[in-house]
Amino acid sequence: MTKKAPRRTAERILVTTLELFNRFGEPNVSTTLISSDLNISPGNLYYHYPSKDELVNTLFDQYEGSLYELLGASEDVHDVEDAWFFLHTLFELIWQYRFLYRDLNHLLSRNRRLETHFPAILMRKRAALRQLLDKLRADQPASAEDERARDAVAACMVVLLTYWLSYEYVLQPRRALEPDNAEDALLRGAYHVLGLLAPHLDQGPREHLLALIEAYQPAAL
């Protein structure tokens, strides 16, 4: 059997950094801690990533690329089951890079790349979610009032997607963002975001969505 090649040092550094950032928060993780956890010298770490901001930016670039690819899939949403899967996948991606959302205000205040890119991310999310709403109501021409309502719902969904993990963290600061809480946190977030869609669907799709929500309803905090 052919042995798998060991991970390159640069990749190992990113994987470990993401784990530490997610668990302890980016402000609480030093490059010394990262190199110690990897059992490599600080010089080896700096050879690959000359600063902590380089690590943050590289991880952010990974997240941004994956997010834009996923948001493009909103064009393939045609029914409530598609919407459920799309939003759950979106929450999974946010969870994978949850340090960005846990420490968002801090990161925006000190990292120019995130400061300039994150507003565009929010706008792309909003546009994708608005498109999702339009797909689910494709048989209904939108009046001016409907247009405003759909814009408002898309904006509210983005707010929930962006700050849900902060809400979880405030309620459970000692364990909210730990890996063993992932499933419940994801389900609670998806449950509430999907709930915003229900009032804007026709009876049949609405009942289908409510059944999906009920079946996947997570444990309450």
Side-chain angles (χ1 to χ4, degrees), residues 15-177:
V15 169
T16 297
T17 299
L18 181 58
E19 290 174 353
L20 293 172
F21 280 178
N22 281 341
R23 183 166 189 185
F24 300 111
E26 182 273 340
N28 303 313
V29 176
S30 66
T31 52
T32 301
L33 176 60
I34 296 168
S35 59
S36 175
D37 199 81
L38 283 161
N39 198 27
I40 63 175
S41 68
N44 196 355
L45 176 65
Y46 289 131
Y47 172 78
H48 294 282
Y49 300 99
S51 68
K52 188 176 170 183
D53 275 347
E54 284 289 325
L55 288 163
V56 171
N57 290 341
T58 303
L59 290 170
F60 173 73
D61 288 347
Q62 289 181 351
Y63 167 70
E64 186 178 41
S66 297
L67 177 67
Y68 284 160
E69 181 178 355
L70 175 58
L71 293 179
S74 63
E75 298 178 359
D76 300 323
V77 171
H78 299 291
D79 54 38
V80 293
E81 291 194 15
D82 290 344
W84 169 263
F85 181 77
F86 173 81
L87 287 167
H88 192 81
T89 304
L90 184 53
F91 264 104
E92 286 181 336
L93 180 60
I94 290 171
W95 179 268
Q96 184 182 352
Y97 292 90
R98 57 192 176 277
F99 82 93
L100 292 168
Y101 291 84
R102 169 178 174 165
D103 304 310
L104 182 57
N105 290 346
H106 167 81
L107 288 167
L108 290 176
S109 70
R110 56 176 293 274
N111 186 297
R112 180 62 178 165
R113 182 168 184 79
L114 269 66
E115 181 188 354
T116 56
H117 281 236
F118 228 92
I121 282 178
L122 297 186
M123 292 301 100
R124 286 285 293 273
K125 283 182 186 176
R126 184 170 176 172
L129 293 170
R130 172 58 202 267
Q131 183 176 51
L132 181 149
L133 279 164
D134 289 341
K135 288 271 189 175
L136 293 176
R137 297 299 306 273
D139 60 334
Q140 297 288 335
S143 65
E145 184 178 352
D146 289 334
E147 292 281 353
R148 289 192 296 271
R150 293 182 192 183
D151 281 342
V153 171
C156 288
M157 293 171 76
V158 171
V159 171
L160 270 177
L161 285 164
T162 304
Y163 291 104
W164 179 257
L165 291 180
S166 294
Y167 173 77
E168 291 266 341
Y169 184 70
V170 170
L171 291 177
Q172 302 183 94
R174 294 187 180 274
R175 66 175 299 269
L177 303 186

